[in-house]
Amino acid sequence: MSIKNTNESYGSIAIAIHWLMALIIITLLAVGFTMTGMEDGDEKWGIYAIHKATGLIIIGLAIFRWIWLFINDKPKPLENWSKADIGLSHATKWILMLLMLIMPIAGLIMSLSGGHDVSFFGLFTIEGFAEKNEQLNHFFHEVHEIGGLVFAVVIVLHILAALKHHFYDKDKTLKRMFGKNK
Ligand code: HEM
Ligand code: HEM
């Protein structure tokens, strides 16, 4: 398998970053929706801190992924894909590409404008605003919360589509994301 994509196949970097980000993002969504319902206290704030630091990793990975997308060939649609398959996969791809950037940036601005420092696992700290900015905080909280819901729904549809291709159409859509091209 080559490092870069070809018109037929995903390269090892695209595949590695796809599955790494899938794992982290699905975890962040699950933890995000769960932690907000916890009782205030050290345990909750500890999980918030891990959520934030892990979310920062996504900003870095997402920037890299956008660059990688543009300097790579795009594996073309498979012959058996319908017009709807092609249209929907395009729409989904761009929504996911946008949300992977918007979500962590919104989370970061929400935290900082709420006057909270954001620590990256103790390695470095981004300082929160000295004075809380209610408007900014409120706006990005909404973006983060609604974005999280949209993200979750689109990911479920994305997974269902992958399973439909694999088990119903029996094509190589899902296998291609694992580097298999037969
Ligand atoms: C278990 C979960 C997942 C499965 C089974 C899955 C499966 C797939 C498959 C089969 C493709 C290739 C489609 C094609 O050939 O065009 C793909 C592409 C893609 N997936 Fe996923 N995916 C999952 C999770 C995610 C998540 C959480 C994200 C969120 C960022 C994501 C973002 C993308 C993007 C942006 C593409 C476009 C291809 C590219 O990287 O250039 N996927 N996914
Ligand atoms: C892709 C990355 C991320 C995903 C998918 C994600 C997902 C979520 C979700 C689903 C929630 C619960 C919805 C809500 O009540 O707001 C949440 C809450 C939260 N997230 Fe994130 N998040 C990400 C990155 C970040 C980052 C980078 C930060 C800050 C640096 C952050 C800070 C927070 C905070 C403070 C809350 C709690 C808000 C509250 O108390 O209501 N998130 N996140």
Side-chain angles (χ1 to χ4, degrees), residues 45-112:
W45 309 135
I47 295 174
Y48 268 47
I50 297 171
H51 176 89
K52 294 180 194 184
T54 312
L56 289 185
I57 299 177
I58 293 293
I59 300 183
L61 289 174
I63 292 172
F64 174 80
R65 191 165 180 181
W66 270 91
I67 297 170
W68 197 249
L69 188 70
F70 281 105
I71 59 173
N72 265 269
D73 289 335
K74 291 172 196 22
K76 49 177 199 296
L78 299 176
E79 309 79 51
N80 67 304
W81 287 11
S82 67
K83 277 222 171 84
D85 284 332
I86 296 173
L88 286 170
S89 74
H90 267 271
T92 311
K93 169 174 167 173
W94 290 112
I95 295 172
L96 293 173
M97 288 300 297
L98 282 174
L99 282 172
M100 71 173 71
L101 258 188
I102 294 171
M103 274 302 281
I105 292 174
L108 180 61
I109 302 179
M110 157 175 64
S111 294
L112 299 179

Side-chain angles (χ1 to χ4, degrees), residues 42-179:
D42 287 350
E43 201 191 353
K44 176 172 178 167
W45 309 135
I47 295 174
Y48 268 47
I50 297 171
H51 176 89
K52 294 180 194 184
T54 312
L56 289 185
I57 299 177
I58 293 293
I59 300 183
L61 289 174
I63 292 172
F64 174 80
R65 191 165 180 181
W66 270 91
I67 297 170
W68 197 249
L69 188 70
F70 281 105
I71 59 173
N72 265 269
D73 289 335
K74 291 172 196 22
K76 49 177 199 296
L78 299 176
E79 309 79 51
N80 67 304
W81 287 11
S82 67
K83 277 222 171 84
D85 284 332
I86 296 173
L88 286 170
S89 74
H90 267 271
T92 311
K93 169 174 167 173
W94 290 112
I95 295 172
L96 293 173
M97 288 300 297
L98 282 174
L99 282 172
M100 71 173 71
L101 258 188
I102 294 171
M103 274 302 281
I105 292 174
L108 180 61
I109 302 179
M110 157 175 64
S111 294
L112 299 179
S113 60
H116 303 286
D117 293 349
V118 174
S119 163
F120 186 71
F121 301 108
L123 289 177
F124 62 85
T125 301
I126 309 174
E127 278 187 37
F129 294 11
E131 231 171 281
K132 196 172 168 172
N133 184 328
E134 291 282 357
Q135 250 182 328
L136 215 55
N137 178 258
H138 186 74
F139 177 75
F140 283 101
H141 194 174
E142 288 287 294
V143 172
H144 200 68
E145 193 166 349
I146 296 167
L149 289 170
V150 176
F151 217 171
V153 170
V154 175
I155 288 171
V156 168
L157 295 176
H158 179 67
I159 295 174
L160 288 177
L163 295 178
K164 172 237 176 210
H165 280 284
H166 192 70
F167 292 108
Y168 184 76
D169 300 334
K170 297 192 180 4
D171 64 24
K172 63 177 187 188
T173 306
L174 182 57
K175 286 194 214 149
R176 189 154 86 152
M177 240 324 149
F178 284 102

Side-chain angles (χ1 to χ4, degrees), residues 10-31:
Y10 285 105
S12 51
I13 303 273
I15 292 173
I17 203 164
H18 174 271
W19 292 114
L20 176 65
M21 289 184 83
L23 186 74
I24 300 178
I25 289 174
I26 291 171
T27 309
L28 281 172
L29 286 167
V31 170

